[in-house]
Amino acid sequence: HLSCYGYHRNTSFNIDQLAKEGVLFKNCFSQATWTLASHASILLSQYVWRHKIDHNKKRLGDVIGSLAEILKDRNYTTCAFVGGGLVSAKFGFNRGFEIYDDGTTPGGLDRHQISSYIDKLLSWLESVRNRKFFLFIHTYDIHAPYNPPSPYFDLYTNRYSRGKSLKTSRAIIPEKLEASKLTPEEIGYIMAVYDGAVNYVDEQLRKIFEKLDELGIDDDTIIIITADHGEGFREHGTLTHGHKPYIELVHVPLIMKGPGIPRNRIYENSVQHIDIVPTILELLNIPQRKELQGRSILLLMKNCEIEEDFKTYSFGRDTGKPQWPFSMSLRTKEWTYIMNQSGPDELYDRMDDPKEQKNLIRERPLIAQKLKKELEDFVALTGEAKPRVAEKVHIDEELKERLKSLGYLH
């Protein structure tokens, strides 16, 4: 949904300008289809079956090695402004951060919107202008329920009728909608509101980019933009995310800009979220750590002509079923194979069917058998180790209400 990726709406002028000053990765894939597991994979550079934070009742445990901890040990001052919910301190994401602002105030149940912390964030940047720093920013402003402030809510809705199903409240609350009964017009309206939220966040990011320029540290700062997961608009019968690892839920933007990073490049080959931390460490001349499962993509982004059939792996949950049965996916250049704990496996031809609509599991049994074994062997190899990262989390009533407002509890 970003215009720099060829989207049909001009949703992201400021992000587009950033992409021209750095590298845009056209084929980045997340390791999970929802917030908690995906953020753990990003910050730890580990697959879900390794860190085992695979359910919303788990949190980061007593683990050394998150990006914030690594950088803090190297005398970087560390700060995070996040939206709370599944990335709140209660889930362990505050490890290694000297400041972790997740909006958790007594009695406050609203999600922590970017507008509530942008001024504090800009002031913090001023305070560290002469220091090495790591700033982590996360927002739910594009997340369901879709409810960007005016004028962004109606920025792209003019050509659509809201429809009967969407007239119950101003905000679009997908978990209250029956996806199968929505008309194409209503789906179009929902996507238009979502795109307005993208544009709103893009405008907030402009303030950060301008502050870095004003402080004279823009050229010395590495900026990385990504999304923890994609979003579904009934491509596979459901709305939002947290489902099986179909393409619309795991194909995410990734843009990098800064010292040591090429300018105005587009990298076509596949990369993964777990590659972000190793790349940062190489850019900062920090030794790689053995627990990281990603690889630095610095050399690859500098030489865009390198071709490789790199495989990507993702994890999802079928949240529409009891116990949330899991799914795992393997993507090659040609194929997507999805192994389901509940129900038959799936196989899609990525060349002829990029949106993964026609399941070929019966038509191409030999291909399916080969990819299934490859996926099983890979998970067994990379999943070895005790679950030293994950531990159970206590969800109190306040956190429960926050997660319900985000659609993670019903």
Side-chain angles (χ1 to χ4, degrees):
H1 291 255
L2 299 179
S3 38
C4 53
Y5 278 82
Y7 192 58
H8 66 280
R9 291 189 175 116
N10 293 320
T11 56
S12 52
F13 175 82
N14 299 290
I15 295 175
D16 297 351
Q17 299 309 304
L18 184 82
K20 291 177 182 177
E21 298 173 13
V23 178
L24 181 150
F25 296 87
K26 287 194 72 174
N27 292 291
C28 179
F29 290 88
S30 66
Q31 266 51 75
T33 63
W34 80 102
T35 301
L36 178 62
S38 183
H39 274 80
S41 287
I42 292 171
L43 295 173
L44 295 170
S45 183
Q46 292 184 1
Y47 292 104
V48 178
W49 43 85
R50 183 59 173 265
H51 63 62
K52 298 182 174 64
I53 304 170
D54 55 6
H55 197 284
N56 289 348
K57 294 181 180 179
K58 296 182 180 181
R59 71 189 297 277
L60 271 73
D62 185 19
V63 55
I64 303 299
S66 71
L67 177 60
E69 290 172 302
I70 294 171
L71 295 180
K72 185 180 179 183
D73 287 344
R74 293 278 171 162
N75 297 315
Y76 283 78
T77 184
T78 56
C79 177
F81 291 92
V82 303
L86 290 177
V87 289
S88 66
K90 290 184 178 180
F91 285 93
F93 288 110
N94 60 324
R95 294 184 62 89
F97 287 102
E98 297 161 294
I99 298 173
Y100 198 81
D101 189 338
D102 61 3
T104 51
T105 56
L109 300 180
D110 292 335
R111 58 185 182 177
H112 199 204
Q113 296 174 322
I114 194 169
S115 61
S116 66
Y117 62 69
I118 187 69
D119 289 339
K120 288 187 288 183
L121 187 159
L122 298 178
S123 295
W124 183 83
L125 281 175
E126 290 182 0
S127 72
V128 297
R129 62 188 301 174
N130 296 316
R131 301 176 62 188
K132 298 190 301 183
F133 67 85
F134 169 47
L135 172 62
F136 180 66
I137 306 167
H138 161 273
T139 177
Y140 282 119
D141 285 87
I142 307 174
H143 194 286
Y146 313 130
N147 193 23
S150 297
Y152 300 94
F153 191 98
D154 293 316
L155 202 58
Y156 306 110
T157 60
N158 291 344
R159 55 173 291 210
Y160 298 100
S161 169
R162 182 153 186 151
K164 293 181 179 179
S165 301
L166 308 179
K167 289 183 177 178
T168 56
S169 66
R170 181 184 188 273
I172 305 296
I173 309 174
E175 61 266 26
K176 293 186 177 181
L177 301 173
E178 195 167 343
S180 62
K181 293 185 178 180
L182 294 173
T183 67
E185 183 88 356
E186 289 170 329
I187 293 290
Y189 184 90
I190 294 171
M191 293 179 71
V193 174
Y194 179 88
D195 291 343
V198 172
N199 191 268
Y200 169 67
V201 170
D202 179 75
E203 178 61 20
Q204 302 307 305
L205 291 178
R206 175 188 62 80
K207 300 174 184 178
I208 300 172
F209 301 157
E210 289 182 350
K211 175 58 71 172
L212 292 172
D213 185 55
E214 174 192 319
L215 295 173
I217 57 176
D218 176 51
D219 291 337
D220 299 321
T221 303
I222 298 168
I223 301 174
I224 299 174
I225 292 179
T226 191
D228 52 344
H229 52 71
E231 197 78 339
F233 294 98
R234 212 173 60 182
E235 293 90 343
H236 288 90
T238 58
L239 299 173
T240 70
H241 53 275
H243 309 298
K244 294 180 182 180
Y246 292 122
I247 189 72
E248 67 272 12
L249 299 190
V250 296
H251 183 210
V252 294
L254 177 63
I255 297 168
M256 295 186 181
K257 177 255 182 187
I261 297 173
R263 293 175 62 89
N264 199 22
R265 291 268 181 99
I266 295 177
Y267 186 71
E268 300 273 355
N269 296 314
S270 295
V271 299
Q272 304 185 97
H273 266 161
I274 58 171
D275 299 330
I276 294 175
V277 168
T279 304
I280 292 172
L281 296 187
E282 183 172 5
L283 283 165
L284 299 178
N285 295 311
I286 298 175
Q288 301 292 334
R289 301 172 66 113
K290 63 180 181 179
E291 64 266 25
L292 305 182
Q293 293 190 299
R295 42 98 194 237
S296 172
I297 50 179
L298 183 57
L299 181 61
L300 296 176
M301 74 170 83
K302 287 183 175 180
N303 185 0
C304 290
E305 289 74 38
I306 293 178
E307 284 289 332
E308 55 175 59
D309 185 14
F310 186 75
K311 301 173 177 67
T312 63
Y313 303 87
S314 301
F315 182 92
R317 289 277 191 186
D318 192 343
T319 54
K321 293 183 179 180
Q323 307 303 318
W324 289 19
F326 66 79
S327 299
M328 300 175 179
S329 67
L330 159 62
R331 281 179 176 81
T332 69
K333 277 189 175 180
E334 296 180 337
W335 300 98
T336 293
Y337 185 83
I338 300 178
M339 184 168 62
N340 296 310
Q341 182 184 21
S342 175
D345 292 352
E346 300 165 55
L347 177 70
Y348 299 98
D349 185 329
R350 295 190 66 199
M351 299 294 106
D352 294 338
D353 180 23
K355 294 185 178 181
E356 300 175 352
Q357 295 295 305
K358 185 179 181 182
N359 185 4
L360 300 176
I361 197 74
R362 293 183 178 180
E363 289 89 335
R364 305 300 296 270
L366 295 180
I367 294 287
Q369 186 178 13
K370 174 180 177 295
L371 293 175
K372 180 182 178 68
K373 185 177 188 310
E374 188 174 339
L375 177 56
E376 288 176 334
D377 290 348
F378 184 83
V379 171
L381 177 65
T382 56
E384 292 177 356
K386 294 180 180 179
R388 63 183 185 84
V389 174
E391 65 181 29
K392 289 185 178 180
V393 64
H394 171 66
I395 300 179
D396 58 24
E397 288 302 314
E398 180 178 340
L399 181 56
K400 187 180 295 184
E401 289 302 316
R402 283 176 175 264
L403 297 180
K404 281 183 179 180
S405 73
L406 292 165
Y408 286 115
L409 288 179
H410 305 289

